């Protein structure tokens, strides 16, 4: 059976369900989508921060229509190799009388159903298709860990999701329980990109090509070119041969030709030669990023690389290299062929070492924090020491400090900055992206921020597929997971807390981005770099998250009502007193945010009562009061 | 006028500064508005009138053989030197004038009337069938740290009260703190019983019984001892202790471990040391915060308040609260519980009442705890500071529930220590009455009330769900809900705070909206008037037109149709404010903190304009060691980025 058959099969077994699904399609963002909230007041969709998780808006009916496409794709994907059938992974597709519970919400009993990409639970208290059906609609890719506990003839499955929510399913029948658990485990660990849901998801309101070319690098370059002629757009990486993790086009010094770039690339880890990351319009300084130079134990040099970095600086000018490793780590990297720029070969550059954690330690920090947050037994004292020992806030502080340092070098010292760590795909991007949010007001608008993500994370080759394969609760053997993108979002959240008027988007956007980076119906965060995306035809066969977010009715949900353009640099405080735990994320599913949500609604109400629309409203009210008596005069006549 | 002790003094001499021989003999009159000196010389009877408000200072000089000189300096630079024959008369005139020349005496009296506790008990629905006011303590005869007016169960006779008081530390017998009229449950407070290991007191047992009977809906009461059990047991050895459940019928006894004032003092000290660390790492800070135990203590107080509020609101059971003396932890816990239970206490006025009720009237020792006078440093402890922080923690969890904002709390905290107002002077009502505090000082509440616009929480709406009924803070898991209050403990380090204030912005928005609404109303009225006149005009015109059979009415209706545009243009040109984001002019308009400067000069360090961004970016960057040293202006503020 091929993919399509699996879809067909599961559909056939729950036709009655799919009707309910279709009706509640609009409730994509709720954990439970009550068909009739009046009849089911105990299912409060509002007690949760209703942030779109990864549940699709679309009924599966339309997925089925798309199956041939997916099937074709699948067969054509020789690159990814494996052919696999979902139906083989689904050992039991439906179980009746499953009890679903989730912290803070009443338990629901219903029919559990597993499809290729979703876990569904539908409760029909009054029989099939009766209003009052409550559904869970969970993307299986969102499941991070499956824990099963058997007791007698029934079993309990705990699902720890990548978005940090925890669900419990009480399943009658031991065999069913084991089957369900292993099905979820198998489906959630399907590693082939093209088997993932985005390739099957076809929302009716969007077109496939929408959103994929919202932020062309050409336009970004035009803006820079209008201010300086020192940079050019190079297509040296057109076929991904110079650097497999760079996009086809990059911005480089105008004085350096493609040949030099190719040679410099050979001297940089993974071919990531220095390219322009940010041009600071205020004073014309620039920020570059790259990977470490391959100096190795023999202190190799590369004339082209030295020249590339030399042309960036005028005579007598100094630049700063911000190395996101400690001096010692950078030195040690020489033993494995890496290293750092020696002063003798790069005389105009001064190195600053700012060690930022990445990889395993960062992932463990994330895991420890989530574990601490979910531990309800800790006393106040234990809580603070656990918060301390997981070190997450230290990482936030370090990342913000380093980004501020980079920003400070540019804005205050008017010096050119080069940022790199080892591979140049993790902490490097964290620093360059954050520095831009701090420096550049245009990165603080919704559109500008998405453009920044596109440029500095997605196209820049942050390996999302590897880093976000597992979230904080996984028991799987860790591979290359690390929550660098989450750390970035957390830092942006810290900025938004310290400058509540300066970011056009709200916390809700950051949460949505987090959710989608780990499990999504959209293709935006799929794969590790542009090359892979090309191979998998992600842009041709999946929808872009940006297209979804840009729909007018969606867009407004992510806006900050307090926003007002702030042309200045926003220098955050990085004192420990100013760094706070992002409760909206880490406690999203643990504590009720009702009172905070109400406060937010109140802020919105207040601001809207005075914004231009409201003033128009006032105008209307005036004209209405005008028109009535005017009508009277008509009557008088 | 009660202030005129001596309306008329005869044989007063008015001296001439230049020649002492030219002194004029006459009569001095004090009226409600003027000081009048009338010369005795019969032909002229020259009169000198001085308006009270013209007097800048009055000086009583040393008595001489001729009498007692009184020097009146006026604001118009007139100096009047009188010699009054009798020293006593002179003193009376002096005192009277001092009072009379202070123009806002009435304001002061009004200020003290702002918070009226009898009114507050009436608001709770008391006196009623179960509770009455008792005059047993009218001359502070039973308990000198209690107020004269105490509310007790109706069935508690004077005999029972006095008997019970003898069995309680410092004779602080059980008295009513809060009464919930919906279910008759109440919160009473007292000090610990002098039970030792086995002592009993019939009257005290009857007193608790009376409290239980005052709540017919429940067959028991909770007795909450807010001390750690170990401390309470240790007290037994000293003949004090806690209630034995066997001796009292129908009580449920409960310990809630809040540490004593010495532990709290040390805890605050430790936390402040953490705040003062120079460029601490995240770990330094979190470790220090944890080791100080401060948030744990805050949580303990909150938990006690939550327990009591739950007992009263949900179980309908009355609670008797005590600690050792019943004036520190008991005050904290009773006021937190009241705040949770009754939305009135979450309004500005209600919060003032709450502090007057649970802290001031029940003898919280302000002088001792806050070191107002030179005293025992071991008596000093941040007891009310902790209560104020509890309120802040609640405000963080329920942003729409409180009528007042963080600034209100900070200013109250400031004035608890400032001694600028009389409310927090002395240790008891008795001391305050003896020192006539209300006649000699002003009330903080009037001052805050006058400036209440600065203290409003823009998110508060009296019809909002959070402002109704009991607040239910999340219980478990809730450790993470308690946060470090940098707005208080680092309030003078403005660099640490959010660079843009939502409260100030929203207040400005609210104000502007209100102005627009008012403008709209005015315009609407004008419009209505215009239309009336237009209508009349039209009538006349149309009659004329009817007569003349001439078309052309359209002009007038055209002008009508054009008006809205003009009005809305007016609206648009109405000054609109934008959030302050580094624009000095703008922020000056918006940040009401400006006003604070004038009213509280000592707070000015705090209320400095924080335009965040601009301010910071003006600073010289550079930095410690890492950046090129060409820039000599090293600035620690930005160097923070460098010291990771």
């Amino acid at each position: 059976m091929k993919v399509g058959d699996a879809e067909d099969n599961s559909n056939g077994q729950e036709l009655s369900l799919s009707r309910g699904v279709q009706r509640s399609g609009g409730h994509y963002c709720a954990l439970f989508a009550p068909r009739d909230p009046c009849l089911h007041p105990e299912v409060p969709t509002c007690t949760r921060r209703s942030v779109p998780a990864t549940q699709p808006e679309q009924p599966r009916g339309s997925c089925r229509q798309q199956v041939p496409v997916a099937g074709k794709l699948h067969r054509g994907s020789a690159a990814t190799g494996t052919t696999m059938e979902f139906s083989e992974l689904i050992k039991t597709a439906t179980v009746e009388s499953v009890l679903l519970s989730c912290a803070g919400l009443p338990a629901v009993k219903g029919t559990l159903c597993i499809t290729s990409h979703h876990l569904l639970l539908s409760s029909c208290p009054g029989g099939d298709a009766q209003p009052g059906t409550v559904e869970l609609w969970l993307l299986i890719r969102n499941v991070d860990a499956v824990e099963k506990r058997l007791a007698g003839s029934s079993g309990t499955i705990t699902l720890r999701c990548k978005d940090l929510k925890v669900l419990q399913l009480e399943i009658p029948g031991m065999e069913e329980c084991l089957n369900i658990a292993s099905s979820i485990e198998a489906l959630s660990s399907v590693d082939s990109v093209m088997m993932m849901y985005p390739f099957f998801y076809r929302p009716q309101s969007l077109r496939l090509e929408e959103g994929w070319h919202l932020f062309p690098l050409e336009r970004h370059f035009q803006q820079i070119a209008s201010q300086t002629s020192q940079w050019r757009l190079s297509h040296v990486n057109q076929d991904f041969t110079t650097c497999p993790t760079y996009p086809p086009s990059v911005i480089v010094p105008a004085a350096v030709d493609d040949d030099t770039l190719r040679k410099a690339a050979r001297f940089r880890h993974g071919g990531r030669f220095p390219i322009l990351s940010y041009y600071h319009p205020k004073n014309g300084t620039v920020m570059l990023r790259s990977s470490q130079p391959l100096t190795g134990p023999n202190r190799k040099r590369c004339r082209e690389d030295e020249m590339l970095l030399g042309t960036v600086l005028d005579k007598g000018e100094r630049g700063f290299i911000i190395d996101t490793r400690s001096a010692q780590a950078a030195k040690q990297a020489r033993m494995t062929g890496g290293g750092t720029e020696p002063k003798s070969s790069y005389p105009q550059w001064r190195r600053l070492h700012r060690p930022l954690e990445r990889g395993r330690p960062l992932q463990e920090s994330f895991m420890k924090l989530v574990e601490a947050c979910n531990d309800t037994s800790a006393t106040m004292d234990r809580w603070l020491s656990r918060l301390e020992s997981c070190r997450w806030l230290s990482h936030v502080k370090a990342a913000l400090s380093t980004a501020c340092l980079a920003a400070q070098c540019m804005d205050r010292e008017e010096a050119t900055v080069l940022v790199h760590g080892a591979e140049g795909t993790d902490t490097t991007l964290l620093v360059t992206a954050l520095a831009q949010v701090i420096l550049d007001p245009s990165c603080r608008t919704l559109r500008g921020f998405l453009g920044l993500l596109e440029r500095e994370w997605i196209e820049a080759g942050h390996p999302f597929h590897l880093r976000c394969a597992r979230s904080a609760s996984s028991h799987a053997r860790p591979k290359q997971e690390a929550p660098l993108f989450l750390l970035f979002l957390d830092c942006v959240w810290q900025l938004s807390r310290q400058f509540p008027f300066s970011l056009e988007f709200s916390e809700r956007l950051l949460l949505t981005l987090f959710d989608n980076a780990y499990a999504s119906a959209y293709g935006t965060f799929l794969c590790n770099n542009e090359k892979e995306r090309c191979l998998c035809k992600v842009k041709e066969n999946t929808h872009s998250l940006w297209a979804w977010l840009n729909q007018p009715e969606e867009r407004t949900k992510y806006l900050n009502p307090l926003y007002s353009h702030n042309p200045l640099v926003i220098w955050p405080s990085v004192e420990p007193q100013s760094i706070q735990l992002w409760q909206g994320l880490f406690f999203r599913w643990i504590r009720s945010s009702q009172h905070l949500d109400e406060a937010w609604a109140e802020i919105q109400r207040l601001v809207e009562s005075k914004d231009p629309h409201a003033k128009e409203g006032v105008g209307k009210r005036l004209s209405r009061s005008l028109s009535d008596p005017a009508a009277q005069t008509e009557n008088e006549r | 006028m009660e202030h005129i002790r001596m309306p008329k003094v005869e044989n007063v001499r008015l001296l001439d500064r230049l020649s002492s021989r030219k002194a004029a003999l006459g009569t001095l009159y004090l009226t409600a508005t003027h000081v009048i000196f009338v010369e005795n010389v019969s032909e002229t009877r020259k009169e000198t009138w001085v308006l009270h408000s013209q007097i800048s200072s009055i000086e009583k000089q040393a008595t001489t053989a001729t009498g007692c000189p009184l020097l009146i300096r006026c604001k118009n630079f007139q100096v009047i030197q009188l010699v009054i024959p009798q020293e006593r008369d002179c003193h009376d005139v002096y005192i009277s004038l001092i009072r009379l020349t202070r123009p806002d005496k009435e304001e002061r009296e009004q200020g003290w009337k702002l918070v009226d506790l009898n009114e507050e008990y009436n608001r709770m629905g008391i006196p009623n069938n179960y509770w009455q006011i008792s005059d047993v303590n009218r001359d502070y005869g039973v308990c000198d740290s209690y107020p004269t007016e105490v509310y007790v169960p109706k069935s508690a006779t004077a005999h029972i009260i006095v008997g019970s008081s003898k069995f309680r530390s410092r004779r602080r017998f059980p008295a009513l703190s809060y009464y919930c009229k919906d279910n008759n449950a109440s919160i009473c407070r007292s000090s610990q019983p002098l039970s030792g290991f086995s002592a009993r007191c019939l009257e005290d047992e009857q007193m608790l019984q009376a409290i239980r009977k005052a709540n017919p809906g429940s067959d028991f009461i909770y007795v909450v001892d807010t001390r750690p059990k170990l401390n309470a047991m240790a007290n037994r050895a000293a003949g004090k202790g806690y209630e034995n459940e066997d001796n009292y019928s129908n009580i449920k006894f409960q310990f809630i471990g809040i540490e004593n004032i010495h532990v709290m003092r040390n805890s605050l000290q430790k936390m402040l040391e953490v705040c003062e660390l120079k460029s601490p790492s995240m770990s330094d800070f979190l470790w220090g915060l944890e080791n100080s135990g401060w948030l744990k203590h805050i949580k303990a107080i909150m938990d006690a308040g939550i327990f009591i509020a739950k007992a009263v609101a949900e179980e309908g059971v009355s609670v008797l609260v005590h600690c050792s003396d019943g004036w520190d932890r008991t005050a904290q816990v009773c006021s937190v519980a009241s705040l949770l239970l009754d939305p009135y206490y979450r309004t500005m006025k209600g919060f003032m009442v709450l502090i007057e009720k649970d802290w001031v009237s029940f003898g919280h020792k302000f002088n001792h705890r806050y070191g107002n006078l030179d005293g025992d440093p071991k008596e000093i402890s941040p007891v009310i500071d902790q209560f104020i922080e509890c309120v802040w923690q609640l405000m963080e969890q329920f942003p729409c529930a409180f009528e007042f904002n963080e600034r209100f709390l900070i200013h109250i905290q400031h004035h608890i220590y400032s001694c600028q107002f009389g409310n927090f002077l002395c240790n008891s009502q008795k001391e305050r009455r003896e020192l006539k505090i209300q006649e000699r000082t002003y009330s903080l509440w009037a001052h805050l009330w006058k400036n209440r616009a600065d203290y409003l929480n823009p998110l508060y709406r009296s019809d909002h769900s959070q402002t109704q009924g009991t607040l239910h803070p999340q219980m478990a898991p809730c450790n993470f809900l308690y946060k470090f209050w940098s707005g208080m403990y680092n309030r003078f380090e403005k660099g640490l705070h959010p660079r843009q204030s939502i409260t100030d912005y929203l207040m400005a928005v609210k104000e502007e909206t209100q102005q627009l609404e008012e403008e709209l109303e005015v315009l609407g009225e004008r419009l209505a008037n215009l239309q009336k006149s237009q209508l009349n005009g039209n009538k006349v015109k149309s009659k004329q037109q009817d007569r003349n059979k001439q078309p052309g009415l359209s002009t007038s209706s055209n002008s009508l149709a054009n008006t809205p545009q003009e009005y809305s243009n007016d609206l648009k040109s109405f000054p609109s404010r934008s959030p302050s984001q580094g624009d000095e002019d703008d922020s000056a308009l918006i940040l009401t903190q400006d006003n604070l400067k004038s009213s509280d000069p000592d707070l000015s360090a705090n209320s400095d304009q924080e335009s965040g961004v601009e301010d910071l970016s003006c600073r010289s960057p550079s930095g410690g060691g890492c950046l090129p040293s060409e820039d000599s202006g090293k600035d620690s503020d930005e160097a923070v980025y460098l010291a990771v």
Side-chain angles (χ1 to χ4, degrees), chain A residues 341-599:
Chain A
E341 295 82 355
K343 186 112 195 147
S344 52
S345 332
Y346 301 85
Q348 280 176 279
W349 292 89
R350 186 172 164 172
R351 252 178 19 238
L352 303 172
H353 289 279
R354 286 292 172 277
L356 295 182
E357 212 59 83
R358 61 193 191 111
R360 275 297 288 282
L362 193 63
Q363 178 71 9
E364 271 162 19
S365 167
F366 177 39
M367 292 166 79
K368 271 192 194 166
L369 174 60
V370 170
E371 198 189 324
C373 292
N374 282 291
D375 185 353
T376 56
S377 64
T379 64
M380 192 73 218
D381 264 16
R382 287 273 313 275
W383 162 248
L384 279 173
S385 72
R386 287 183 78 168
L387 185 60
E388 188 278 325
S389 69
C390 73
R391 300 194 52 77
W392 180 259
L393 291 179
S394 305
H395 300 317
V396 171
K397 178 169 152 49
L400 267 178
S401 306
T402 309
C404 286
L405 173 69
Q408 190 182 340
C409 288
M410 295 179 71
D411 190 70
R412 318 263 81 200
E413 303 293 323
E414 306 203 330
T416 299
V417 175
L418 166 67
V419 184
H420 72 68
E423 288 93 349
T425 54
D426 295 306
T427 49
T428 305
L429 304 180
L430 176 65
V431 172
T432 57
L434 257 184
Q436 291 178 57
V437 178
I438 292 165
L439 286 170
D440 189 354
S442 70
C443 290
R444 297 180 220 138
T445 63
L446 177 57
R447 193 190 156 80
F449 186 67
L450 298 184
L452 177 77
L453 295 182
E454 184 77 34
R455 208 169 59 240
E456 289 294 304
W457 285 94
I458 298 168
E459 289 181 0
H462 175 66
F464 279 100
H465 184 74
L466 291 174
R467 299 288 181 259
C468 303
R470 294 284 169 195
S471 178
S473 323
S474 173
H475 305 304
R477 197 168 55 85
K479 284 177 241 161
Q480 299 203 46
E481 293 82 5
L484 280 143
F485 186 61
L486 171 62
L487 186 57
F488 167 72
L489 296 176
D490 197 331
C491 292
V492 175
W493 179 81
Q494 305 284 346
L495 287 173
S496 78
R497 211 191 55 81
Q498 293 194 28
F499 297 90
F501 312 147
S502 297
L503 302 184
E504 195 194 17
F505 47 88
S506 64
E507 180 184 31
R508 193 167 165 181
L509 178 80
L510 302 176
L511 293 171
T512 302
L513 290 169
F514 166 69
D515 294 343
N516 279 277
Y518 279 87
S520 180
Y522 302 92
T524 301
F525 294 108
L526 288 182
C527 303
N528 292 310
N529 50 54
E530 288 296 281
K531 186 183 175 185
E532 287 183 20
R533 275 174 212 118
C534 271
L535 283 173
C536 296
K537 297 200 164 56
V538 167
K539 294 182 186 178
E540 289 80 8
N541 293 311
T542 73
H543 284 278
S544 162
L545 177 63
W546 305 161
W548 169 260
L549 294 178
N550 271 325
Q551 298 176 106
E553 68 277 15
E554 281 303 309
R555 196 175 178 275
T556 51
K557 291 182 197 162
Y558 300 103
L559 292 178
N560 170 13
L562 297 171
Y563 174 71
S564 128
H565 176 74
N566 177 359
L568 301 167
V569 177
I570 52 172
W571 298 111
S573 160
V574 294
E575 292 299 311
Q577 288 97 322
S578 311
I579 307 279
Q580 296 204 344
L581 184 63
W582 185 7
Q583 296 207 356
L585 181 98
F586 293 105
F587 297 120
R588 178 160 43 146
W589 312 104
I590 296 166
R591 59 121 167 83
S592 155
S593 63
Q594 183 199 342
H595 304 301
L596 304 179
D597 293 343
E598 283 170 359

Side-chain angles (χ1 to χ4, degrees), chain B residues 243-499:
Chain B
E243 291 82 354
N244 184 342
E245 272 188 357
D246 299 336
N247 297 343
Y248 293 82
S249 50
N250 307 316
I251 66 163
K252 283 193 182 170
F253 188 83
Q254 180 89 30
F255 282 115
I256 296 181
I258 302 173
E259 298 290 347
N260 63 28
I261 58 168
H262 312 294
V263 175
M264 299 306 193
R265 180 178 57 243
N266 293 334
S267 172
L268 178 65
Q269 189 51 43
K270 278 190 195 160
M271 185 177 70
L272 294 180
E273 280 163 18
V274 176
C275 294
E276 287 165 20
L277 284 178
K278 265 210 143 161
S279 58
S281 72
M282 204 70 222
S283 296
D284 293 339
F285 178 73
L286 290 174
W287 264 120
L289 193 57
E290 154 142 7
N291 288 338
S292 76
W294 182 258
L295 288 176
K296 185 181 72 181
H297 299 315
I298 295 293
K299 185 175 180 294
I301 296 164
M302 284 297 304
D303 285 348
I306 293 169
F307 175 85
I308 293 163
K310 227 172 149 186
V312 170
E314 287 171 26
E315 297 178 53
V317 177
S318 295
V319 184
L320 171 67
V321 188
H322 69 72
C323 45
S324 296
D325 291 320
W327 51 39
D328 293 319
R329 285 168 276 201
T330 301
Q332 289 175 329
V333 166
C334 287
S335 46
V336 167
S338 301
L339 200 68
L340 292 171
L341 283 167
D342 197 331
Y344 174 66
Y345 298 127
R346 292 172 234 144
T347 65
M348 214 177 279
K349 184 79 178 295
F351 191 69
M352 300 171 179
V353 168
L354 183 66
I355 290 186
E356 282 291 330
K357 172 171 76 78
D358 280 339
W359 296 82
V360 178
S361 85
F362 274 105
H364 178 64
K365 302 200 292 175
F366 283 95
N367 272 4
H368 287 171
R369 292 291 173 264
Y370 312 113
N372 290 345
L373 298 168
D374 193 20
D376 183 359
K378 287 214 172 76
E379 283 282 305
I380 295 175
S381 186
V383 181
I384 201 168
D385 302 64
Q386 288 184 314
F387 165 64
I388 288 171
E389 176 164 342
C390 286
V391 181
W392 178 80
Q393 300 280 2
L394 279 173
M395 282 163 71
E396 285 289 291
Q397 292 179 44
F398 299 91
C400 306
F402 292 84
E403 191 192 19
F404 46 85
N405 57 28
E406 181 184 14
R407 192 177 297 151
F408 185 64
L409 297 180
I410 289 177
H411 283 201
I412 290 175
Q413 194 272 350
H414 172 85
H415 285 299
I416 282 165
Y417 289 87
S418 76
C419 298
Q420 195 177 330
F421 296 92
N423 308 59
F424 310 123
L425 298 179
C426 304
N427 290 324
S428 66
Q429 191 187 67
K430 184 171 176 245
E431 283 183 22
R432 273 185 291 276
R433 293 226 171 138
E434 280 166 359
L435 288 174
K436 296 190 168 43
I437 290 290
Q438 295 208 354
E439 290 160 43
R440 296 153 141 193
T441 68
Y442 287 79
S443 167
L444 170 65
W445 307 132
H447 172 72
L448 294 177
W449 188 248
K450 204 169 67 198
N451 300 310
R452 62 187 173 276
D454 293 345
Y455 304 122
L456 285 172
N457 169 14
L459 298 181
Y460 179 84
R461 211 160 20 103
S462 54
D463 55 348
H464 194 281
S465 62
Q466 286 184 30
T467 60
Q468 319 294 318
T470 308
L471 288 186
H472 300 282
Q474 228 166 343
M475 280 293 281
C478 58
N479 295 313
F480 53 80
L481 290 175
Y482 296 97
K483 295 188 281 193
F484 172 74
W485 188 8
S486 66
M488 173 64 87
Y489 304 108
N490 287 116
R491 81 174 107 141
F492 295 104
E493 281 144 85
K494 52 184 183 168
L496 293 181
H497 306 310
R499 306 307 167 90

Side-chain angles (χ1 to χ4, degrees), chain A residues 604-622, chain B residues 509 513 516-517 520 571-572:
Chain A
Q604 228 150 357
R605 195 187 64 87
L606 278 176
V607 174
E608 270 158 22
S609 67
K610 80 125 220 179
D611 85 353
H613 300 291
K615 276 181 201 161
E616 272 166 35
V618 166
K620 266 183 214 142
R621 271 157 66 191
L622 261 182
Chain B
V509 163
T513 310
L516 283 171
E517 290 285 332
L520 178 71
L571 283 175
K572 269 176 200 148

